[in-house]
Amino acid sequence: MIGIIQQVLLELLEEKGGEELKQRVLKRAHVDPSVNYRIDKNYSDDECLRLIAASVEETGFTENEVYALYASAFLKKVRSLFPRFFEIADDSEGFLLRQARIHAVMASGLKQQDERQHVNDKFSASPIEPGVVRVIYRSPNGLCRLYKALAFEVASLYGDEIEFNEPCCMHKGAVHCEFIITWPHKRQEVAHD
Amino acid sequence: MTDADHPSLRQVITQIADQLCDTIDNNFDIHVSVDTQDTEGQKLALLVNFLLENVRRSLTDMQSLNEQLEDKVKERTSLLDLILAGSNDGVWIWDIAKDELTLSGRWYSMLELPHDANTQSPEFWYQQIHPADRERFSNAIRGLRKGESEHLNVEYRVKTTRHGYRWMLCRGVCQKDNEQQCSIVAGTQTDISAMRIFDQESGMPNERYLRERVEDALDEQQPLFLIYVTVENIDAILNASEHASNARLYPVIQERLNQVNGVHLVASKLSAITFAVMGFESELTQSGLTIEDVCQQIRDNCANTHNTFKEDARFEVAVGAVASSMLKIDQSQQLINYAWSALRRARQLGQTCIFTETHITQDSRRIRVEQELRRSLMQNALAPDYQAIYAGKTKQLIGFEALARFRHPELGIVSPGEFIPIAEDSGLMRELGYAILDRTIETIQTWQNNALRNHPFYIAVNVSAIQLEDPYFADNVLAKLEGAGVDPQRLKLEVTESTLVESFKSAALQLDKLRHNGVRIALDDFGTGYSSLSYLRSLSIDTLKIDRSFVAKLHENEQKAAIIKTVYELATQLRLSVVAEGVEEVEELNFLNNIGDMAIQGFLLARPMPAKQAIAQVSQHRN
């Protein structure tokens, strides 16, 4: 995974519980305590998943709560690093349609073409009709709930309300996760037209 | 830590910039990396790599698109090549700016030229075109380039190396540049010779082909000869054989016309029964033959009995010929006209006719006579002569026959033997017939009101076949009679067998209608045709006119006398009146009177003369 993921997680842990919490998580996850994650480098998926699991265990929060906190911190971080991505999109729908490309930006830091392709293939977003977007997520990491948290966080950032449906999920045996994100106010505008 | 461990942002930018220099050779497959802990530096590297990734993807997409386009182009080109091969057309592309012409291999092969991969000048194309067609071609190209026409569609002849000129259809369109000027003209060339110069039914060259070959030969000052042949019995052969058909007959005819040893002949089909054979006089000289020899050979070929259609088929032909050098002819139309004239004479005389200077003189007069006849008809200047007909025994006036006469201030008196055939050939018979009829009705009107007021008489008028073919002929005649206030019984129409044979059914209808309304009908030249008796059975007539050939010297000829007696008896039985024509001697008159009561027409009693003289003579006769 791109280093920014882990970087944000560690910064969040430090914010919530100081260096001490951060070190406990690193230790539980069997990660080098002096690790310094770079945003332009790729790191082990398994390591990242261990860090997330250790965070849940050490903070006492539920997984969803961790994802929600993480989503907020992650968006804040990305927004500070790449504010222009947020300015380009008029609303959360525009942003989420670009999310796969933004994810690809992150993948650009990977040196190997096959590594970049692997990251690029994780997400694809396409508009079904105005106010309805379909997202396909394919990753053995199975972080669909993190994506959901991020989606709501993005909507909140733009002041939008969304409905989030997951017609199929890898956790339920599907080959990929599919998200149908709907903007009810846009659907109403279309209906009136 | 040293500065080397933590390069400044400036150094990071330099690192990235240096690595980007590798793209100078269009190599975008690079990955920029920086050695900094500074997030902003890392971010810059990340975004540069994102950009490079986009460029790589775009290039890959473009390459893929290019390959797809190339495949598409190959596919389209392949299809186009297939279509062009299927159409068998030549292709031409004219780059106006460069003034260069690109021609396909097929284009060259159409002209029987080797393929030249180099471009040509438009002048090269122009030079291949027949001189007579170049202007038309140039005008068509000009019109297309100026935008006066959207498509080029022009026919012309091109010279081939072995087979003379062939007809081509050239089609094309113009491509315009940004300034709406014609920049490229391109199109196809189709060989249409088969359609233009071949007769579809027989596959033989047609009249147009012949005309063009004659023109070309005379333009190149190559003396040539034409032999026109009419196969008179084509219909009979087709009817006689269950195996014959036009499609099978024409190749046989063509073969017989072409086969003359030592001379290359080309036979063309001019009509269903008339053909033309063309050859060069130089070959006659080389082979030691004359044009008469060739004509005779053709006649022999046609008369030769071949086993055709499983029965013997012998062609009965009329042959007319003309040689260009003999008469110093250099105009194609003139040569063709003379060939037709020779054929016409051949058909009339029943023997081969080689056109000579004498014929030219005769034809000149013929043309003059036709012109003046036509003019006279338009001016209503023709007036018939009238020959009185008398009862043989009582010498009482019975009637007259109106005889067509053509008197011209410059031509003089043109005999019926001359102007009637000219009228027939030139389609003036209908007009002539009506002119005589109209004047006759006028004359009846005049005489019945004046000189012959109290005297029964009729005037007989000869009717032509073409008049009898007119479904309104009877109505027209009756209307004229009514308009003139003339009793229909004063008009007698004379028909001959040859008049009836062409369309008996329509003729009979018209005559019946006329007779029903009082007009009388006479069968002229009785006994001279093949089926005079059958007409007696089939037609309602009033009078038989015995031909002069039976009357002349009948008193010295038992056969003639017997025939006339028999005809008279037959006519009497049928209650028909009889007129004996051509009585010139008293002995003839007396003999006829001994046979019975018949009307007499002939120089002995009255000559044909204009109306005034005719009626004056009648008055004299009465007195």
Side-chain angles (χ1 to χ4, degrees):
Chain A
M1 277 193 203
I2 303 294
I4 192 172
I5 309 274
Q6 294 87 328
Q7 195 185 88
V8 167
L9 181 61
L10 292 184
E11 285 172 0
L12 178 63
L13 288 170
E14 202 170 331
E15 181 193 321
K16 294 297 180 191
E19 180 69 22
E20 192 254 336
L21 175 61
K22 175 181 142 185
Q23 288 301 321
R24 286 209 313 273
V25 169
L26 284 170
K27 188 176 178 182
R28 184 181 278 274
H30 305 293
V31 175
D32 180 356
S34 65
V35 69
N36 185 15
Y37 290 107
R38 291 169 61 103
I39 67 171
D40 60 348
K41 278 190 76 172
N42 188 39
Y43 301 89
S44 158
D45 284 2
D46 182 59
E47 182 180 289
C48 185
L49 292 174
R50 290 202 313 270
L51 281 170
I52 293 171
S55 299
V56 172
E57 287 165 13
E58 291 294 333
T59 59
F61 290 132
T62 65
E63 199 176 80
N64 285 342
E65 285 167 340
V66 167
Y67 284 147
L69 286 169
Y70 180 85
S72 178
F74 181 79
L75 274 183
K76 190 176 171 184
K77 180 75 170 186
V78 172
R79 200 173 168 195
S80 74
L81 281 174
F82 305 103
R84 188 64 187 144
F85 286 153
F86 291 84
E87 289 163 10
I88 289 171
D90 291 333
D91 53 25
S92 54
E93 182 183 4
F95 184 89
L96 287 173
L97 281 170
R98 288 188 177 85
Q99 178 268 330
R101 295 284 290 158
I102 294 168
H103 189 256
V105 169
M106 306 304 168
S108 304
L110 300 170
K111 197 166 186 177
Q112 300 300 323
Q113 168 64 23
D114 54 350
E115 287 180 330
R116 291 199 294 269
Q117 193 59 46
H118 174 64
V119 171
N120 287 339
D121 289 343
K122 280 188 180 175
F123 286 99
S124 70
S126 56
I128 296 175
E129 53 187 80
V132 184
V133 171
R134 175 191 288 120
V135 177
I136 305 292
Y137 167 61
R138 293 184 194 84
S139 172
N141 297 329
L143 294 172
C144 46
R145 278 164 289 181
L146 175 58
Y147 181 87
K148 182 175 178 180
L150 283 167
F152 275 100
E153 194 63 31
V154 166
S156 171
L157 187 68
Y158 283 92
D160 292 332
E161 279 188 25
I162 61 170
E163 291 170 5
F164 192 97
N165 292 300
E166 194 172 352
C168 57
C169 178
M170 285 187 290
H171 292 115
K172 292 175 186 171
V175 295
H176 59 241
C177 295
E178 181 179 337
F179 314 127
I180 303 294
I181 308 171
T182 308
W183 284 258
H185 69 280
K186 282 197 178 180
R187 301 285 300 128
Q188 282 173 0
E189 285 170 10
V190 167
H192 285 143
D193 289 345
Chain B
M1 265 190 238
T2 66
D3 284 346
D5 297 328
H6 298 283
S8 68
L9 196 58
R10 195 182 184 87
Q11 287 168 318
V12 164
I13 292 170
T14 302
Q15 283 176 16
I16 293 172
D18 289 343
Q19 288 170 80
L20 282 177
C21 289
D22 287 356
T23 62
I24 191 71
D25 294 327
N26 286 333
N27 172 28
F28 295 97
D29 195 17
I30 61 172
H31 186 267
V32 166
S33 63
V34 291
D35 185 19
T36 180
Q37 297 301 318
D38 189 316
T39 307
E40 293 300 320
Q42 292 172 12
K43 172 185 162 183
L44 183 61
L46 194 69
L47 287 170
V48 168
N49 284 323
F50 172 63
L51 183 65
L52 288 171
E53 175 68 8
N54 273 341
V55 170
R56 279 191 293 271
R57 285 193 178 207
S58 295
L59 287 174
T60 304
D61 289 348
M62 276 175 58
Q63 190 174 357
S64 171
L65 194 62
N66 267 352
E67 285 167 6
Q68 286 175 33
L69 282 173
E70 276 183 20
D71 287 342
K72 266 282 187 240
V73 167
K74 275 186 197 165
E75 188 189 331
R76 290 292 293 267
T77 304
S78 180
L79 269 176
L80 191 61
D81 286 342
L82 187 67
I83 291 167
L84 283 173
S87 72
N88 211 24
D89 284 347
V91 176
W92 54 273
I93 303 170
W94 184 349
D95 188 325
I96 303 294
K98 296 179 186 171
D99 208 29
E100 278 177 0
L101 199 56
T102 304
L103 303 166
S104 69
R106 174 61 186 147
W107 195 100
Y108 282 99
S109 70
M110 283 170 139
L111 276 65
E112 296 164 355
L113 293 171
H115 182 214
D116 188 345
N118 295 319
T119 56
Q120 301 283 356
S121 71
E123 183 63 22
F124 165 79
W125 187 1
Y126 193 72
Q127 289 302 321
Q128 311 306 315
I129 297 174
H130 193 291
D133 300 333
R134 286 176 189 167
E135 190 179 345
R136 184 169 65 250
F137 172 72
S138 295
N139 289 342
I141 290 283
R142 195 175 307 119
L144 182 71
R145 289 179 61 175
K146 280 185 179 176
E148 290 165 8
S149 54
E150 284 195 15
H151 294 96
L152 179 70
N153 195 313
V154 62
E155 295 179 2
Y156 52 73
R157 285 160 285 181
V158 289
K159 192 162 189 156
T160 63
T161 52
R162 293 193 302 276
H163 293 99
Y165 283 99
R166 290 187 72 82
W167 275 96
M168 300 289 166
L169 170 63
C170 180
R171 285 178 285 202
V173 289
C174 196
Q175 181 176 285
K176 294 185 179 170
D177 58 22
N178 293 336
E179 287 153 22
Q180 294 306 303
Q181 297 299 310
C182 190
S183 61
I184 292 180
V185 186
T188 58
Q189 178 175 271
T190 307
D191 191 326
I192 57 170
S193 303
M195 282 191 300
R196 268 192 84 104
I197 61 174
F198 288 98
D199 174 73
Q200 300 297 312
E201 185 184 25
S202 64
M204 292 173 69
N206 59 17
E207 188 171 3
R208 169 178 270 159
Y209 174 85
L210 175 76
R211 189 176 294 277
E212 289 171 5
R213 290 299 300 272
V214 170
E215 282 173 5
D216 290 344
L218 291 176
D219 284 345
E220 292 165 13
Q221 295 179 343
Q222 276 191 310
L224 66 144
F225 60 88
L226 290 178
I227 300 175
Y228 276 26
V229 178
T230 291
V231 181
E232 305 282 11
N233 62 336
I234 275 186
D235 283 344
I237 291 174
L238 287 171
N239 291 335
S241 169
E242 63 183 85
H243 303 288
S245 66
N246 284 345
R248 296 182 65 190
L249 194 64
Y250 288 125
V252 175
I253 294 174
Q254 185 178 17
E255 187 193 3
R256 296 195 188 185
L257 294 177
N258 282 343
Q259 272 180 353
V260 173
N261 288 334
V263 183
H264 175 66
L265 299 175
V266 177
S268 305
K269 178 170 171 277
L270 304 182
S271 74
I273 62 172
T274 301
F275 305 84
V277 176
M278 174 183 151
F280 291 101
E281 291 185 44
S282 57
E283 289 189 25
L284 287 181
T285 309
Q286 282 169 11
S287 61
L289 294 172
T290 63
I291 192 170
E292 289 84 355
D293 294 333
V294 176
C295 290
Q296 187 57 49
Q297 180 72 71
I298 288 175
R299 290 191 79 93
D300 292 343
N301 290 345
C302 292
N304 214 353
T305 306
H306 290 283
N307 193 2
T308 310
F309 310 125
K310 300 190 178 176
E311 290 96 17
D312 293 341
R314 174 184 288 145
F315 295 113
E316 294 169 12
V317 297
V319 178
V322 62
S324 67
S325 66
M326 198 190 298
L327 299 170
K328 298 185 178 53
I329 301 165
D330 59 2
Q331 298 293 321
S332 60
Q333 187 58 53
Q334 196 177 31
L335 188 69
I336 288 170
N337 288 346
Y338 290 162
W340 277 115
S341 187
L343 178 64
R344 182 172 45 78
R345 284 179 166 81
R347 294 183 79 185
Q348 284 172 354
L349 300 171
Q351 60 193 38
T352 299
C353 173
I354 309 294
F355 199 81
T356 65
E357 283 188 12
T358 307
H359 296 138
I360 293 179
T361 309
Q362 291 173 357
D363 275 1
S364 297
R365 173 164 167 93
R366 180 190 166 80
I367 290 169
R368 180 84 199 279
V369 167
E370 182 192 327
Q371 283 172 344
E372 295 305 325
L373 180 63
R374 201 179 285 276
R375 189 171 309 163
S376 298
L377 284 168
M378 277 172 56
Q379 294 169 352
N380 199 25
L382 282 178
D385 280 0
Y386 299 91
Q387 185 177 29
I389 303 170
Y390 293 94
K393 290 180 180 174
T394 64
K395 306 297 184 296
Q396 260 199 317
L397 177 70
I398 304 288
F400 301 83
E401 182 179 348
L403 298 161
R405 290 292 181 264
F406 183 26
R407 293 182 175 87
H408 191 270
E410 287 160 20
L411 294 171
I413 297 175
V414 183
S415 73
E418 184 179 1
F419 75 81
I420 296 291
I422 291 173
E424 285 171 346
D425 286 347
S426 54
L428 291 173
M429 275 310 294
R430 191 171 178 275
E431 279 177 75
L432 181 61
Y434 273 115
I436 302 300
L437 183 66
D438 288 348
R439 293 303 285 262
T440 299
I441 292 175
E442 282 173 19
T443 303
I444 295 173
Q445 184 191 47
T446 303
W447 287 353
Q448 76 180 8
N449 294 331
N450 295 293
L452 297 176
R453 187 167 47 248
N454 297 315
H455 195 97
F457 73 98
Y458 67 83
I459 302 183
V461 178
N462 289 286
V463 177
S464 67
I466 197 164
Q467 285 176 291
L468 290 175
E469 281 173 11
D470 182 354
Y472 301 107
F473 174 69
D475 291 336
N476 286 339
V477 171
L478 293 170
K480 288 175 192 293
L481 289 168
E482 189 177 346
V486 168
D487 183 353
Q489 294 205 351
R490 292 208 185 274
L491 179 66
K492 184 177 282 189
L493 299 179
E494 294 190 4
V495 297
T496 63
E497 230 176 291
S498 59
T499 305
L500 295 168
V501 75
E502 293 202 25
S503 51
F504 178 78
K505 204 170 175 182
S506 67
L509 271 172
Q510 299 301 311
L511 295 173
D512 272 350
K513 187 167 188 179
L514 285 161
R515 192 161 180 274
H516 184 72
N517 283 279
V519 175
R520 286 181 277 178
I521 310 296
L523 188 56
D524 200 0
D525 300 339
F526 185 79
T528 58
Y530 291 110
S531 45
S532 299
L533 288 178
S534 77
Y535 288 122
L536 285 185
R537 184 171 55 85
S538 329
L539 277 180
S540 299
I541 57 174
D542 302 283
T543 303
L544 286 182
K545 293 191 77 173
I546 301 174
D547 188 68
R548 188 189 182 289
S549 58
F550 294 103
V551 170
K553 304 282 186 194
L554 82 160
H555 54 286
E556 296 172 2
N557 188 314
E558 283 180 11
Q559 235 181 16
K560 286 186 182 181
I563 290 170
I564 291 181
K565 280 181 190 168
T566 307
V567 169
Y568 181 80
E569 278 169 24
L570 175 62
T572 306
Q573 292 285 331
L574 297 175
R575 295 194 185 87
L576 304 176
S577 61
V578 177
V579 176
E581 289 187 283
V583 176
E584 296 180 0
E585 296 180 17
V586 171
E587 291 83 359
E588 292 166 358
L589 174 62
N590 292 337
F591 202 99
L592 287 166
N593 285 338
N594 284 336
I595 292 173
D597 289 316
M598 54 185 92
I600 303 297
Q601 180 179 347
F603 286 179
L604 180 66
L605 297 182
R607 285 180 173 268
M609 44 187 75
K612 277 189 180 162
Q613 284 99 303
I615 201 64
Q617 190 200 54
V618 163
S619 301
Q620 261 182 359
H621 182 90
R622 272 202 249 166
N623 297 336

